[in-house]
């Protein structure tokens, strides 16, 4: 499982000009599922993302998590995070999870984030042609791979 995490002031995702998910202060999470990802990867990633201290405290230090600041998350499925560009000029996506297993894991990721205590979890639509709008805060952008990731 791979995440590109962006601390944001606002983020939204639209399909055919219609906003389907929108947040203010929080995290934009681009979520990639690999072929071999399972519940263990999902649990690990949700704990890591929700507890990551990347929001500033009163002293301006990155010392608070999205839970601590009562932030929201916008989760956008992103199979292209597993694009392999080592050979040739066209990325290979053979490492990305097949939609039949990836879509339920994306849904489970969102449900788990809610269970952990994220107050507002918004999403795009799996497999759709989405347009993502972001006002990155900092900017703070991190890439996180689960321990069993490719």
């Amino acid at each position: 499982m791979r995440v590109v995490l962006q601390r944001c002031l606002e983020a939204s995702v639209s399909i055919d000009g219609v906003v389907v998910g929108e947040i203010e202060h929080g995290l934009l999470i681009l979520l990639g599922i690999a072929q071999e990802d399972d519940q263990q990867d999902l649990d690990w990633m949700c704990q890591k993302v929700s507890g990551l201290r990347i929001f500033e405290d009163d002293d301006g230090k990155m010392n608070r998590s999205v839970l601590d600041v009562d932030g929201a998350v916008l989760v956008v499925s992103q199979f292209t995070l597993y694009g392999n560009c080592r050979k040739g000029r066209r990325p290979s996506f053979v490492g990305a999870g097949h939609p039949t297993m990836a879509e339920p894991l994306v849904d489970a990721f969102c449900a788990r984030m809610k269970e952990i205590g994220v107050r507002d979890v918004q999403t795009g639509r799996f497999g759709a042609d989405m347009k993502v709008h972001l006002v990155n805060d900092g900017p703070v952008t991190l890439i996180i791979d689960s321990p069993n990731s490719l």
Side-chain angles (χ1 to χ4, degrees), residues 1 14 19 21 43 66 71 73 76 82 95 112 124 135 142 146:
M1 191 168 290
S14 59
V19 174
D43 290 338
V66 68
V73 298
V76 178
Y82 280 99
R112 183 73 180 116
V135 177
L142 300 167
S146 63

PDB file of all heavy atoms in Angstrom, residues 1 14 19 21 43 66 71 73 76 82 95 112 124 135 142 146:
ATOM      1  N   MET A   1       0.855  -1.167   0.000  1.00  0.00           N
ATOM      2  CA  MET A   1       0.000   0.000   0.000  1.00  0.00           C
ATOM      3  C   MET A   1       0.902   1.231   0.000  1.00  0.00           C
ATOM      4  O   MET A   1       1.888   1.270   0.716  1.00  0.00           O
ATOM      5  CB  MET A   1      -0.904  -0.041   1.241  1.00  0.00           C
ATOM      6  CG  MET A   1      -2.001   0.959   1.238  1.00  0.00           C
ATOM      7  SD  MET A   1      -3.214   0.641   2.538  1.00  0.00           S
ATOM      8  CE  MET A   1      -3.993  -0.849   1.920  1.00  0.00           C
ATOM      9  N   SER A  14     -13.579  16.337  -8.199  1.00  0.00           N
ATOM     10  CA  SER A  14     -14.797  16.453  -8.992  1.00  0.00           C
ATOM     11  C   SER A  14     -14.767  15.462 -10.146  1.00  0.00           C
ATOM     12  O   SER A  14     -13.704  15.040 -10.605  1.00  0.00           O
ATOM     13  CB  SER A  14     -14.981  17.880  -9.518  1.00  0.00           C
ATOM     14  OG  SER A  14     -13.881  18.259 -10.317  1.00  0.00           O
ATOM     15  N   VAL A  19     -18.534  18.375  -7.913  1.00  0.00           N
ATOM     16  CA  VAL A  19     -17.721  18.061  -6.738  1.00  0.00           C
ATOM     17  C   VAL A  19     -18.356  16.879  -6.011  1.00  0.00           C
ATOM     18  O   VAL A  19     -19.533  16.925  -5.646  1.00  0.00           O
ATOM     19  CB  VAL A  19     -17.600  19.280  -5.796  1.00  0.00           C
ATOM     20  CG1 VAL A  19     -16.877  18.903  -4.511  1.00  0.00           C
ATOM     21  CG2 VAL A  19     -16.865  20.418  -6.504  1.00  0.00           C
ATOM     22  N   GLY A  21     -16.361  15.146  -3.464  1.00  0.00           N
ATOM     23  CA  GLY A  21     -15.728  15.119  -2.156  1.00  0.00           C
ATOM     24  C   GLY A  21     -14.987  16.417  -1.927  1.00  0.00           C
ATOM     25  O   GLY A  21     -14.360  16.944  -2.848  1.00  0.00           O
ATOM     26  N   ASP A  43      -4.504  -1.810   8.065  1.00  0.00           N
ATOM     27  CA  ASP A  43      -4.483  -1.390   9.470  1.00  0.00           C
ATOM     28  C   ASP A  43      -3.231  -0.578   9.784  1.00  0.00           C
ATOM     29  O   ASP A  43      -3.297   0.454  10.447  1.00  0.00           O
ATOM     30  CB  ASP A  43      -4.565  -2.603  10.398  1.00  0.00           C
ATOM     31  CG  ASP A  43      -5.924  -3.273  10.365  1.00  0.00           C
ATOM     32  OD1 ASP A  43      -6.914  -2.620   9.980  1.00  0.00           O
ATOM     33  OD2 ASP A  43      -5.992  -4.463  10.712  1.00  0.00           O
ATOM     34  N   VAL A  66      -3.668  14.569  12.505  1.00  0.00           N
ATOM     35  CA  VAL A  66      -4.966  14.981  11.966  1.00  0.00           C
ATOM     36  C   VAL A  66      -6.057  14.785  13.013  1.00  0.00           C
ATOM     37  O   VAL A  66      -7.021  15.559  13.070  1.00  0.00           O
ATOM     38  CB  VAL A  66      -5.282  14.233  10.644  1.00  0.00           C
ATOM     39  CG1 VAL A  66      -5.528  12.747  10.867  1.00  0.00           C
ATOM     40  CG2 VAL A  66      -6.432  14.895   9.894  1.00  0.00           C
ATOM     41  N   GLY A  71      -8.933  17.420  12.060  1.00  0.00           N
ATOM     42  CA  GLY A  71      -8.909  17.618  10.619  1.00  0.00           C
ATOM     43  C   GLY A  71      -9.719  16.573   9.879  1.00  0.00           C
ATOM     44  O   GLY A  71     -10.097  15.534  10.426  1.00  0.00           O
ATOM     45  N   VAL A  73     -10.180  14.238   6.105  1.00  0.00           N
ATOM     46  CA  VAL A  73      -9.357  13.625   5.066  1.00  0.00           C
ATOM     47  C   VAL A  73     -10.186  13.440   3.800  1.00  0.00           C
ATOM     48  O   VAL A  73     -11.387  13.173   3.861  1.00  0.00           O
ATOM     49  CB  VAL A  73      -8.728  12.272   5.498  1.00  0.00           C
ATOM     50  CG1 VAL A  73      -7.806  12.447   6.680  1.00  0.00           C
ATOM     51  CG2 VAL A  73      -9.758  11.215   5.771  1.00  0.00           C
ATOM     52  N   VAL A  76      -8.398   9.676  -2.274  1.00  0.00           N
ATOM     53  CA  VAL A  76      -8.561   9.512  -3.716  1.00  0.00           C
ATOM     54  C   VAL A  76      -7.768   8.283  -4.141  1.00  0.00           C
ATOM     55  O   VAL A  76      -6.549   8.236  -3.959  1.00  0.00           O
ATOM     56  CB  VAL A  76      -8.056  10.767  -4.474  1.00  0.00           C
ATOM     57  CG1 VAL A  76      -8.192  10.572  -5.979  1.00  0.00           C
ATOM     58  CG2 VAL A  76      -8.812  12.010  -4.017  1.00  0.00           C
ATOM     59  N   TYR A  82       1.543   3.004  -8.420  1.00  0.00           N
ATOM     60  CA  TYR A  82       2.316   1.795  -8.662  1.00  0.00           C
ATOM     61  C   TYR A  82       2.790   1.706 -10.108  1.00  0.00           C
ATOM     62  O   TYR A  82       3.125   0.626 -10.590  1.00  0.00           O
ATOM     63  CB  TYR A  82       1.520   0.550  -8.253  1.00  0.00           C
ATOM     64  CG  TYR A  82       1.598   0.351  -6.763  1.00  0.00           C
ATOM     65  CD1 TYR A  82       0.565   0.759  -5.938  1.00  0.00           C
ATOM     66  CD2 TYR A  82       2.735  -0.185  -6.190  1.00  0.00           C
ATOM     67  CE1 TYR A  82       0.657   0.612  -4.567  1.00  0.00           C
ATOM     68  CE2 TYR A  82       2.833  -0.329  -4.821  1.00  0.00           C
ATOM     69  CZ  TYR A  82       1.793   0.070  -4.016  1.00  0.00           C
ATOM     70  OH  TYR A  82       1.904  -0.072  -2.665  1.00  0.00           O
ATOM     71  N   GLY A  95       2.093  -3.897 -10.967  1.00  0.00           N
ATOM     72  CA  GLY A  95       2.161  -3.979  -9.511  1.00  0.00           C
ATOM     73  C   GLY A  95       0.913  -3.481  -8.808  1.00  0.00           C
ATOM     74  O   GLY A  95       0.711  -3.745  -7.621  1.00  0.00           O
ATOM     75  N   ARG A 112     -12.068   2.469   8.069  1.00  0.00           N
ATOM     76  CA  ARG A 112     -11.146   2.357   9.206  1.00  0.00           C
ATOM     77  C   ARG A 112     -10.734   3.732   9.715  1.00  0.00           C
ATOM     78  O   ARG A 112     -10.600   3.935  10.928  1.00  0.00           O
ATOM     79  CB  ARG A 112      -9.914   1.537   8.808  1.00  0.00           C
ATOM     80  CG  ARG A 112      -8.944   1.313   9.918  1.00  0.00           C
ATOM     81  CD  ARG A 112      -9.493   0.299  10.921  1.00  0.00           C
ATOM     82  NE  ARG A 112      -8.518   0.111  11.977  1.00  0.00           N
ATOM     83  CZ  ARG A 112      -8.741   0.437  13.255  1.00  0.00           C
ATOM     84  NH1 ARG A 112      -9.914   0.917  13.626  1.00  0.00           N
ATOM     85  NH2 ARG A 112      -7.809   0.276  14.146  1.00  0.00           N
ATOM     86  N   GLY A 124     -13.195  10.297  -3.470  1.00  0.00           N
ATOM     87  CA  GLY A 124     -13.507  10.417  -4.886  1.00  0.00           C
ATOM     88  C   GLY A 124     -14.370   9.221  -5.257  1.00  0.00           C
ATOM     89  O   GLY A 124     -15.058   8.661  -4.407  1.00  0.00           O
ATOM     90  N   VAL A 135      -5.083  22.970  -2.112  1.00  0.00           N
ATOM     91  CA  VAL A 135      -4.272  24.065  -1.601  1.00  0.00           C
ATOM     92  C   VAL A 135      -3.416  23.428  -0.515  1.00  0.00           C
ATOM     93  O   VAL A 135      -3.875  23.167   0.596  1.00  0.00           O
ATOM     94  CB  VAL A 135      -5.121  25.230  -1.044  1.00  0.00           C
ATOM     95  CG1 VAL A 135      -4.211  26.311  -0.462  1.00  0.00           C
ATOM     96  CG2 VAL A 135      -6.020  25.805  -2.131  1.00  0.00           C
ATOM     97  N   LEU A 142       4.198  13.931   1.826  1.00  0.00           N
ATOM     98  CA  LEU A 142       4.972  12.762   2.230  1.00  0.00           C
ATOM     99  C   LEU A 142       4.524  11.546   1.438  1.00  0.00           C
ATOM    100  O   LEU A 142       3.353  11.426   1.075  1.00  0.00           O
ATOM    101  CB  LEU A 142       4.791  12.480   3.726  1.00  0.00           C
ATOM    102  CG  LEU A 142       5.215  13.605   4.662  1.00  0.00           C
ATOM    103  CD1 LEU A 142       4.709  13.345   6.069  1.00  0.00           C
ATOM    104  CD2 LEU A 142       6.727  13.744   4.656  1.00  0.00           C
ATOM    105  N   SER A 146       3.581   0.892   2.999  1.00  0.00           N
ATOM    106  CA  SER A 146       3.392  -0.077   4.070  1.00  0.00           C
ATOM    107  C   SER A 146       4.607  -1.013   4.099  1.00  0.00           C
ATOM    108  O   SER A 146       5.298  -1.161   3.096  1.00  0.00           O
ATOM    109  CB  SER A 146       2.091  -0.853   3.893  1.00  0.00           C
ATOM    110  OG  SER A 146       2.097  -1.611   2.698  1.00  0.00           O
TER     111      SER A 146
END
